[in-house]
Amino acid sequence: MPLPPGQVAGLAADLLLARLRPAQLPGPRAPSLAAGVGMIAAGCAITVRALAERRRREGGTFELDRPRRLVVTGPYAVSRNPMYAGWWLLHLGVGLLQGSAWALLTTPAAALAEHRGVLAEERELAELFGAGFAAYAGQVPRYVSLRRLRVMLLRHTRKPGP
C-alpha cells in the first residue's frame, strides 16, 4: 500500500518520540487498543477499496499519479481523496495501538504537511478533466463529510424490502 511521504515522516516521528520521550494516553489501555485496531482496519479498507476502484475504472494496471479517468464512484463518491483519509486513520490507529499520545500531534501535523500536495494534485486533475472535475469538486468534499458517509453506510446496510 503506497504511503505518502508525510505519513511516513509522521509515523516515524511518532515512533521516535514515543521511544525518546514516552507520552502515554491517559486511562485504561483496552479502549485505545480497540480504537487503534478499528482505525487501522478502517484505514486499510478505505485505501484498498479506493485502489481497487481506481483499477476497476482505469482498466487493469494504472499509475497512481497519472490518472487516465476521473473516478467518482466507490470511496471517491464520499471523498475526493479517500486514500489520504485512509492513511490518516492508519497513522492515528498505529499511535492508539501503541498507546502513544504523540499520535494526537503527529497525525494532524502529517495531514497538514500533505495538504499542499493534495491541492497541487487537485489543480492537475482540474487541468486534465476540466468541467467534469469542477462539477465533482462542487459535490464531493476534499477529505470527508460525515453526513455523506453516514448516508452511504445506511444505504449499504439497509435490507431490501419484500
Side-chain angles (χ1 to χ4, degrees):
M1 199 172 348
L3 271 173
Q7 290 309 306
V8 172
L11 282 165
D14 183 32
L15 295 171
L16 182 64
L17 287 166
R19 187 178 242 340
L20 296 176
R21 189 120 168 114
Q24 293 298 309
L25 292 167
R29 218 38 206 112
S32 67
L33 284 171
V37 168
M39 287 184 176
I40 290 169
C44 285
I46 291 167
T47 303
V48 166
R49 178 73 176 97
L51 286 167
E53 190 69 11
R54 280 281 303 276
R55 180 170 287 118
R56 186 172 79 83
R57 293 293 179 183
E58 293 217 11
T61 61
F62 67 93
E63 292 181 54
L64 199 54
D65 58 345
R66 297 182 196 275
R68 294 186 308 258
R69 290 198 169 94
L70 181 61
V71 179
V72 300
T73 55
Y76 294 93
V78 177
S79 169
R80 296 195 310 262
N81 298 280
M83 283 188 273
Y84 284 105
W87 291 318
W88 299 340
L89 285 172
L90 276 164
H91 182 156
L92 188 56
V94 167
L96 292 176
L97 195 61
Q98 68 181 13
S100 172
W102 288 113
L104 301 176
L105 295 173
T106 60
T107 303
L112 282 172
E114 291 167 345
H115 182 68
R116 183 188 286 166
V118 169
L119 295 177
E121 287 176 11
E122 289 195 346
R123 281 191 298 275
E124 291 173 20
L125 292 172
E127 287 177 22
L128 275 171
F129 301 111
F133 181 78
Y136 171 62
Q139 295 175 346
V140 177
R142 178 171 287 128
Y143 297 116
V144 68
S145 161
L146 296 179
R147 190 180 119 245
R148 200 172 175 88
L149 182 61
R150 188 184 69 217
V151 167
M152 187 181 90
L153 291 173
L154 286 173
R155 189 178 313 137
H156 289 292
T157 57
R158 285 191 190 137
K159 295 181 181 177

